[in-house]
Amino acid sequence: METETVPRAMVTTSGELRERTAQARAAGKLIGLVPTMGALHEGHLSLIRRARAECGFVVVTIFVNPTQFPPGEDFERYPRDLAGDEAKARAAGADLIFAPPTSEIYPPDDSTFVEVTGPLVECLCGPHRPGHFRGVTTVCARLFNLVGPDRAYFGEKDYQQLLVIKQMVRDLHFPLAVVPVPTVREADGMAMSSRNSYLSPEERKAATALHRALSRAEEQVEHGERSAAALLAGVKEMIASEPLVSLQYVELRDAETLDALTALDRPAVLAVAVFVGKARLIDNVVIAR
Ligand code: AMP
């Protein structure tokens, strides 16, 4: 009797990955890529489900990318749960999970980085996380080359990252579409993030100030507010009222170029970064008017 081998759901080497994506391509399937650092939550799963709906073969990568953590950040203690992630990713529709060791992505003798330069990376998180976006674009360029996706899915939660990736894809002529996916939130409005696991119950409650502040700004806009200074002051006030939350930045910027705005005269993004205990958290709202 012939035994049928069931293809493995998780692979760790680029050779196995390429074999599987080549088979999918040969079968005429569109390849969707969802890059993640694991500790998967509903935000990640919404990206995977979207990819499932749009592509014939869905690859989820799970790789805690060391180059995107500036020195002193949380690389070592970043949450890791590969077994749980595999089950969740498969249930959401992943065909293949690529969970490589660091040496598979960064061979010991490598010496190439990919870096977007200019205004997109010189504001918001850029100055606060030196080297971060260079790490992100480098790993994404390598993953794009390894997977060869037709579509790659990124969350609007990391809004600046999304714009930086789009820029890299345009500039380097990667033959793929970058698909933005809306931020998934908890019932109380808090944006889902793997880093929320760092929060004590008390900190978790205080951290809702982030979403409350952004929601209030949206309400102000609905009531006709157009001044950046007024919107930023409102956010600062709300954050300051929570002793457990400290503001790193809040900025109103052009939704495409990230140019600083003094007035809401075009589509804009209101982006915030805070510290709550050990966790650095970001959130944003896009204001279309
Ligand atoms: P990470 O594992 O944090 O690198 O995130 C992997 C991908 O999931 C990125 O494209 C993120 O923007 C996206 N993502 C993270 N959190 C959320 C969320 N709450 N809603 C939607 N997408 C998210």
Side-chain angles (χ1 to χ4, degrees):
M1 195 176 82
E2 223 174 277
T3 51
E4 204 179 309
T5 49
V6 182
R8 284 196 295 139
M10 170 130 61
V11 298
T12 57
T13 66
S14 47
E16 294 166 294
L17 170 70
R18 283 187 191 283
E19 202 177 303
R20 297 285 293 280
T21 51
Q23 281 168 7
R25 212 168 287 117
K29 293 178 178 173
L30 269 191
I31 297 179
L33 169 64
V34 181
T36 82
M37 297 205 300
L40 300 184
H41 51 66
E42 279 298 317
H44 298 116
L45 301 185
S46 78
L47 270 61
I48 299 171
R49 290 190 194 108
R50 176 78 178 270
R52 174 75 283 154
E54 297 179 353
C55 304
F57 192 74
V58 175
V59 180
V60 174
T61 62
I62 297 178
F63 180 62
V64 184
N65 173 35
T67 62
Q68 74 184 70
F69 291 78
E73 281 199 7
D74 54 345
F75 173 67
E76 307 294 343
R77 64 191 167 91
Y78 196 84
R80 289 159 169 91
D81 175 21
L82 203 49
D85 287 346
E86 180 180 356
K88 287 178 198 168
R90 291 191 68 177
D95 293 297
L96 185 66
I97 296 150
F98 179 51
T102 302
S103 59
E104 196 69 21
I105 301 297
Y106 298 107
D109 56 348
D110 76 341
S111 64
T112 304
F113 272 88
V114 177
E115 184 167 22
V116 169
T117 57
L120 278 187
V121 297
E122 286 167 0
C123 62
L124 302 178
C125 291
H128 297 285
R129 307 188 71 192
H132 168 70
F133 288 116
R134 184 171 107 131
V136 168
T137 41
T138 297
V139 78
C140 285
R142 291 179 185 213
L143 291 173
F144 291 167
N145 281 329
L146 285 168
V147 174
D150 297 287
R151 301 169 77 82
Y153 295 80
F154 290 88
E156 289 175 356
K157 152 92 175 16
D158 299 283
Y159 191 82
Q160 187 177 15
Q161 167 174 284
L162 174 65
L163 294 186
V164 170
I165 299 283
K166 278 186 179 171
Q167 181 81 46
M168 176 189 76
V169 164
R170 265 199 311 274
D171 292 353
L172 298 185
H173 307 285
F174 278 106
L176 60 93
V178 172
V179 184
V181 180
T183 301
V184 176
R185 299 178 179 281
E186 304 279 0
D188 63 5
M190 177 88 169
M192 293 196 180
S193 164
S194 307
R195 290 191 168 96
N196 291 351
S197 65
Y198 297 152
L199 302 172
S200 70
E202 217 188 354
E203 290 167 344
R204 171 65 185 79
K205 217 170 146 197
T208 58
L210 205 59
H211 175 253
R212 280 185 279 127
L214 292 174
S215 299
R216 189 168 78 167
E218 283 185 305
E219 272 169 37
Q220 285 177 282
V221 172
E222 263 165 45
H223 289 105
E225 185 60 74
R226 289 293 177 270
S227 150
L231 295 171
L232 300 180
V235 171
K236 286 176 187 165
E237 186 191 50
M238 179 85 76
I239 300 289
S241 73
E242 278 293 352
L244 293 179
V245 183
S246 68
L247 185 68
Q248 185 173 58
Y249 69 71
V250 54
E251 295 180 36
L252 184 73
R253 290 185 171 268
D254 182 296
E256 293 292 323
T257 63
L258 296 186
D259 289 342
L261 299 182
T262 53
L264 196 52
D265 54 5
R266 65 194 94 161
V269 58
L270 181 60
V272 190
V274 299
F275 285 99
V276 189
K278 281 182 289 183
R280 181 182 180 279
L281 305 175
I282 58 171
D283 200 353
N284 69 81
V285 286
V286 175
I287 302 171
R289 290 142 293 171

